[in-house]
Amino acid sequence: MKNILDCTAVELGKMIKNKEVTVMEAVEVTLNRIKEKEADYHSFITVMDEAAMIRAREVQTLIDEGKLTGPLAGVPVAIKDNMCTKGTLTTCASKMLHNFVPVYSATAVEKLESAGAIIIGKTNMDEFAMGSTTETSYYGVTKNPWNTEHVPGGSSGGSAAAVAGKECIFALGSDTGGSIRQPASYCGVVGLKPTYGTVSRYGLIAYGSSLDQIGPICKDVTDCATILEVIAGKDSKDSTSVDVETDYTSALVDDVKGMRIGIPTDYFGEGLDKEVKEAVLSAAKVLQKKGAIVEEFNLSLVDYAIPTYYTIATAEASSNLERFDGVKYGYRTGEYKGLHNMYKKTRSEGFGEEVKRRIMLGSFVLSSGYYDAYYLKALRVKALIKKAFDEAFQKYDVILGPVAPNVAPKLGESLKDPMKMYLSDIYTTSVNLAGLPGMSVPCGFSKSGMPIGLQLIGDCYKEKNIIRAAYAYEKERGSI
Amino acid sequence: MVKQYETVIGLEVHVELATKTKIFCGCSTAFGGAPNTHTCPVCTGMPGTLPVLNKQVVEYAMAVGLATNCTITGDCKFDRKNYFYPDNPQNYQISQLYLPICHDGYVEIDTEGGRKAIRIHEIHMEEDAGKLIHDEGRDRSLIDYNRSGVPLIEIVSEPDMRSSEEVIAYLETLKMIIQYLGASDCKLQEGSMRADVNLSVREVGTKEFGTRTEMKNLNSFSAITHAIDAETQRQIALIESGEKVVQETRRWDEDKAVSYTMRSKEDAKDYRYFPDPDLVSVKIDKEWIEKIRKNQPEFRPEKMARYKQEFDIPDYDIEIITETKHMADIFEATVAICHQPKKVSNWLMVETLRLLKETNKDATDIIFSPDNLAKLIKLTDEKVINSSVAKEIFEVMFFENIDPEKYVEEKGLKMVSDEDALRKVIEEVIENNPQSVEDYRNGKEKAIGFLVGQTMKAMKGKADPGIVNKMLKELL
């Protein structure tokens, strides 16, 4: 029998269904693994030992009674700590929410729970999802299980590390500018940011509302499609969610004959690490050998993605984070004189440096007199970026490129130079700006032994195209 | 020569819409709940929650827009107005700045100089804030979020009004339209209609506007009138003395009849408006507009014209009855049952107005049903009860909407016209009032009135006064 911790979600789900393993065993083994590894990885902010075991028994009963038959029933899952979990601490990795226990769950969390997945904990992240390394967390740094001297990426670094470090079978992350794909790439796991509107954002503590999407972080493409099928769909609580076909697993076909794949040359220019470049291009060759039509093209506007992204995301964030004021929940400063002083001290003490930097940037670009020059201009560039992708998708089914310019950097390197950190989002942010689905699939390692990710980008609501390409590639590549 | 000044006024009118639930969540909008009982994670600004637009709010806003001759925006959007204050749980208000739902309309008002159109710049939808309660004794503040997320529309006029009379006429017109639509009860005292006055003065004949001020905290028509007159004088006095009017927001104190500076333009907040990314744009197509247009009620001017043709009642009655749609509805429904417009009108004009005045209510508070009023009229027509008993019953009906037929049965209030039953009582009255009897016999016709009264009293008001009168004359 395969070791529980080595199983994918779909494999473990089958074993539970076939009564080879009980849900309690699966949860217990996972919790033990967390106990053993947390000192090294620190993937979690909260581990839900007791609640997970209680729920495991309930789910086992429901499976035995034939009431839960889905592929994720009984499978342990970790949730990024910016998704609300009813009755369980939800911090966004911030001091600001150090004591916040929501009275409601995110829709995506609810959907996983109804499918029988067992939530075993809340994972570490960059504070309010602002960062690319999971080093801005108030609760300490998460380390990359491949080499604990390196960062796991971010902001969903805890979720990616938990999957890579076998501390859960799969996880949910959120992606505003690359926060699922980049850590998935750094940790050698699969991560998908769905088309904007595919997964409800209700209960996801907002960073950049027009860009945020929840998505799976998991061990293979099959899990990725299976999980997405469970969490996707229109939600009456989220006006921006859309009604989409969710039969993603039907795209798990090992056939890319005639699939048109475009490689944007602008993604392979200056700044891209040579090892990453080679690994990604050889992955393209694999697909070409399997019958895909691969060609290079010029996407254009790539240089504008980062400034556009940071203008829009921080503008929205500056407003989204206004509610954290010490009045209703979360952190409030100890001593203060009057309302204004309470706001000021609470927010100065409750938010970390990176969050404050982005709030200031966002407030600035929305200020009267600057709104047109920055925010509105950014919206116009966003529309142009979308147009550039629309044109590309006239010719191609899938766009293929790197996820990040480098492999995971060492701890402490990135925060020294925020501009450099921001530039590491160069290949991921435009996907959020255009609302497209993007997936990170492991495609090799650097000489230093760090994983490299391949990014597959699809047209809006065409997740099936990238799932098919990723699945075919994965078949050829074999397990990593 | 003394300079002549002209007042230029524009209004921002907030109206609370009569939806059952809030604008962005399913919480009740009912008044008077215990603090924070009409709340949920959405209207208390919990992290991760999202607004979902209440369609009824859009339809009410469209209805008001159509009734005020506005153009409806086919693709309107919500924006966030960012400011920190605890009554606003998100620290931003969801409102409309860039693309409001209605724009470029007008209403007509009657002024001394005849009909006049007041142009409407725009109507936009937004959410109300919660309520802060300052607990002075304990040096703390409490917040009640029951009102947080209650839907409002803001109707912004052009600076087309020139006097407090025109302002009141404009407000009365808006109120009438909105009440007729059922979109709001428009009560200034209760805050379901609030008006901020933008006012400037200029010399008659000048084309440019003067510097304006905005006046807040106007809770009644009289406060609005007082504030306009006072602000006009204040601005003229400043100009006359060579000073300048400062662009600022002022707060009216009705008790002291003066206004104070709230904030000047220099410290005006930067609200950092931007489109709310949590809400999709509202697509309003022609079909939807037509559907709303078709469902518009008959407004007051048309209703008055029709009443004049259909019902033989005085113009004054028509004016009063049509003042609210509620009373007009009761009138029409009652007439439809009993076919006696004059009698129905009398009940409304006399007893109803008296009781409303005594209880400090207005016509929208009437609770008795047309059914019951028709029954009451029938009971008096068929002489089952006499008119004084009818008045008593009406009073109970006014407060409790009782069924008069049942009430008459239960309380035994039927009029007694049986002569045998009355004879004994009348004989007793004659015996006990010899002086009046003698007066009558000596030719004092009036004395009989007293004897009728005594008989009615003995009968506890239930006798038929006509028969009593007739029998008394016989027996004397």
Side-chain angles (χ1 to χ4, degrees), chain A residues 359-370:
Chain A
I359 288 174
M360 284 190 281
L361 182 57
S363 303
F364 175 73
V365 299
L366 287 179
S367 300
S368 121
Y370 298 98

Side-chain angles (χ1 to χ4, degrees), chain B residues 359-467:
Chain B
T359 52
N360 209 7
K361 288 179 180 174
D362 66 45
T364 55
D365 298 318
I366 296 173
I367 61 159
F368 60 79
S369 68
D371 239 6
N372 287 337
L373 179 55
K375 279 179 185 172
L376 187 68
I377 291 169
K378 190 172 160 230
L379 287 169
T380 46
D381 281 355
E382 291 174 356
K383 294 195 181 300
V384 179
I385 53 173
N386 65 38
S387 64
S388 61
V389 170
K391 276 181 195 169
E392 278 170 40
I393 296 173
F394 181 81
E395 198 157 328
V396 184
M397 222 172 81
F398 179 85
F399 290 106
E400 294 165 46
N401 188 27
I402 43 109
D403 176 339
E405 282 174 0
K406 277 189 197 153
Y407 190 79
V408 165
E409 281 300 326
E410 280 165 17
K411 303 277 172 177
L413 296 174
K414 276 191 187 160
M415 188 154 73
V416 180
S417 40
D418 173 16
E419 296 197 6
D420 290 337
L422 287 171
R423 189 176 308 272
K424 221 181 130 206
V425 180
I426 292 172
E427 280 170 356
E428 268 175 38
V429 168
I430 290 173
E431 205 179 306
N432 294 337
N433 296 284
Q435 185 60 50
S436 301
V437 171
E438 205 187 310
D439 288 350
Y440 178 74
R441 285 182 178 145
N442 289 337
K444 274 193 179 171
E445 285 283 328
K446 273 185 186 169
I448 199 153
F450 176 76
L451 294 169
V452 171
Q454 289 301 304
T455 312
M456 292 301 286
K457 197 175 161 191
M459 287 301 294
K460 292 183 177 137
K462 291 184 290 181
D464 181 333
I467 293 179

